[in-house]
Amino acid sequence: MMSAIGSRRHGRVLLSVLLICLCSRALAFVVEVPGRSQECYYEYVRTKRTAFLKIGVLESQDQYDIRLKAYGPFADPPSEDEVQMNFFDQMITTQRDEETNDVQHNGFNFESEHRGGWYMFCLDNRHSSYSGKIVEFYTKFDLSNEEELGHEDELEAYAKQQHIEGVTESLSRIKTLLELVQNEQGYYKSRERRHRRTLESNKSRIMWYTTLEIVVLAVMYVGQAFLLHKWFSDRGFIQARQWA
C-alpha cells in the first residue's frame, strides 16, 4: 500500500481507492498539498511492470501545476530525506476548461523491468506560496508482458503451489485417517451384531433348557410318588379303606 511520508503531515487525503490483483495494481486519491511543502508517497513496484502515473490539479489559487519527482528503486522503504536515485523531476501543468471545469491529467510511464523495489513519488508545491492545491494522483502497475512474470510473481506462484501441495498432502492424510476410522467403526458394528445374535441365541437356549428341566423334574416327582406309594402298598403299610 502506498503511504504518505510528507514533510507536513496536515495534508488532507480526501479520497482513496485501492485495487489490487496479481497482474495489476492501481491507486487513485485526491490530496491537498499546502504551499511551500510537498507530499511524498512510496510504493513497492515488482519487476516486469509498467508504471502509469497521472496527475491533475483540481483546485488552485495559483497556477494549475505541481512538480512530480520520482526516486528509486530502493531495497527498503525510503525516507523523505532520500534524494538519490532521482529519475524523474518535472513540473506537471494541468490544462483546465474554464467552461466545463474539466481537467486534463498529465504524467509519465516507466518500466521497472529488472529494477523492482521501493519507489518514492513526491508532489512538490514548494514553488508556490498560496494556499494548498487539490491534486488528484493516479498510479497503476501492470505487467509489461502478460506472458512474462516478474521475479516476485514467480516466487508468489511457487509459494502458492507449495501451499496447495501441502494442503493436498494434508487432505490425503486426513482421508486415510477417516478411512481407518470407518474401517474400525465397521469392525465394531460387525462385532456388536455377532454378540447380539449370540445373546439372543443363548436366551432361546436357556428358555428351552429351563422348560426341559421343569418337565424332567415333574416327571421325576410323579415317578417317585408312584414308586413310593406302590412300595408301601406292597408291604401292607397302607391299608385299603373299607366302605360300609
Side-chain angles (χ1 to χ4, degrees):
M1 181 182 296
M2 185 172 286
S3 303
I5 54 173
S7 59
R8 301 179 64 180
R9 298 296 180 179
H10 59 276
R12 296 182 295 109
V13 177
L14 306 179
L15 175 64
S16 179
V17 179
L18 182 61
L19 303 174
I20 302 175
C21 66
L22 177 62
C23 296
S24 65
R25 179 171 183 156
L27 175 70
F29 60 89
V30 178
V31 62
E32 180 181 355
V33 184
R36 301 299 183 185
S37 68
Q38 69 175 0
E39 294 290 335
C40 293
Y41 307 88
Y42 63 88
E43 172 77 14
Y44 186 86
V45 182
R46 297 184 177 187
T47 56
K48 303 289 185 179
R49 290 296 195 278
T50 298
F52 303 89
L53 287 80
K54 293 183 180 180
I55 295 178
V57 180
L58 305 181
E59 297 181 13
S60 175
Q61 297 182 9
D62 192 9
Q63 299 294 325
Y64 282 79
D65 58 3
I66 196 79
R67 181 176 294 277
L68 173 62
K69 296 184 292 185
Y71 304 85
F74 301 95
D76 299 310
S79 64
E80 181 189 356
D81 299 330
E82 292 283 354
V83 294
Q84 300 177 356
M85 305 184 71
N86 175 261
F87 64 93
F88 187 86
D89 186 351
Q90 184 175 337
M91 185 71 69
I92 305 296
T93 302
T94 299
Q95 301 295 330
R96 182 169 177 269
D97 190 331
E98 296 294 339
E99 295 182 358
T100 61
N101 288 327
D102 291 337
V103 296
Q104 179 181 356
H105 294 73
N106 297 313
F108 80 105
N109 306 334
F110 71 91
E111 294 186 359
S112 62
E113 192 59 27
H114 300 292
R115 296 179 293 110
W118 290 97
Y119 286 78
M120 182 170 64
F121 308 102
C122 294
L123 303 177
D124 190 350
N125 193 34
R126 289 180 293 188
H127 60 280
S128 176
S129 59
Y130 287 86
S131 299
K133 298 178 180 179
I134 305 300
V135 181
E136 182 180 15
F137 187 40
Y138 171 84
T139 61
K140 185 178 181 181
F141 307 95
D142 291 335
L143 281 171
S144 301
N145 187 344
E146 295 292 339
E147 298 180 356
E148 293 185 11
L149 297 179
H151 177 65
E152 300 86 351
D153 299 320
E154 293 177 351
L155 290 178
E156 183 177 352
Y158 176 76
K160 287 183 177 180
Q161 182 63 29
Q162 292 295 110
H163 178 69
I164 292 175
E165 291 178 357
V167 171
T168 302
E169 184 178 354
S170 299
L171 291 176
S172 178
R173 289 198 299 267
I174 293 174
K175 180 181 178 181
T176 302
L177 292 176
L178 288 176
E179 290 176 352
L180 292 176
V181 171
Q182 289 178 346
N183 293 336
E184 194 73 11
Q185 288 179 340
Y187 166 74
Y188 283 115
K189 287 182 179 179
S190 177
R191 190 176 70 171
E192 182 183 1
R193 285 195 297 268
R194 290 198 305 269
H195 289 175
R196 187 183 299 111
R197 287 196 298 266
T198 301
L199 179 61
E200 292 175 354
S201 177
N202 290 339
K203 288 173 61 178
S204 177
R205 291 175 183 175
I206 291 173
M207 184 184 67
W208 285 108
Y209 289 157
T210 302
T211 303
L212 180 60
E213 183 179 3
I214 293 173
V215 171
V216 171
L217 289 176
V219 171
M220 290 177 61
Y221 174 77
V222 173
Q224 287 179 353
F226 175 77
L227 291 175
L228 288 174
H229 184 273
K230 187 175 184 304
W231 188 80
F232 282 109
S233 297
D234 292 343
R235 286 164 176 73
F237 292 106
I238 299 177
Q239 298 294 331
R241 176 173 292 184
Q242 300 294 327
W243 298 93

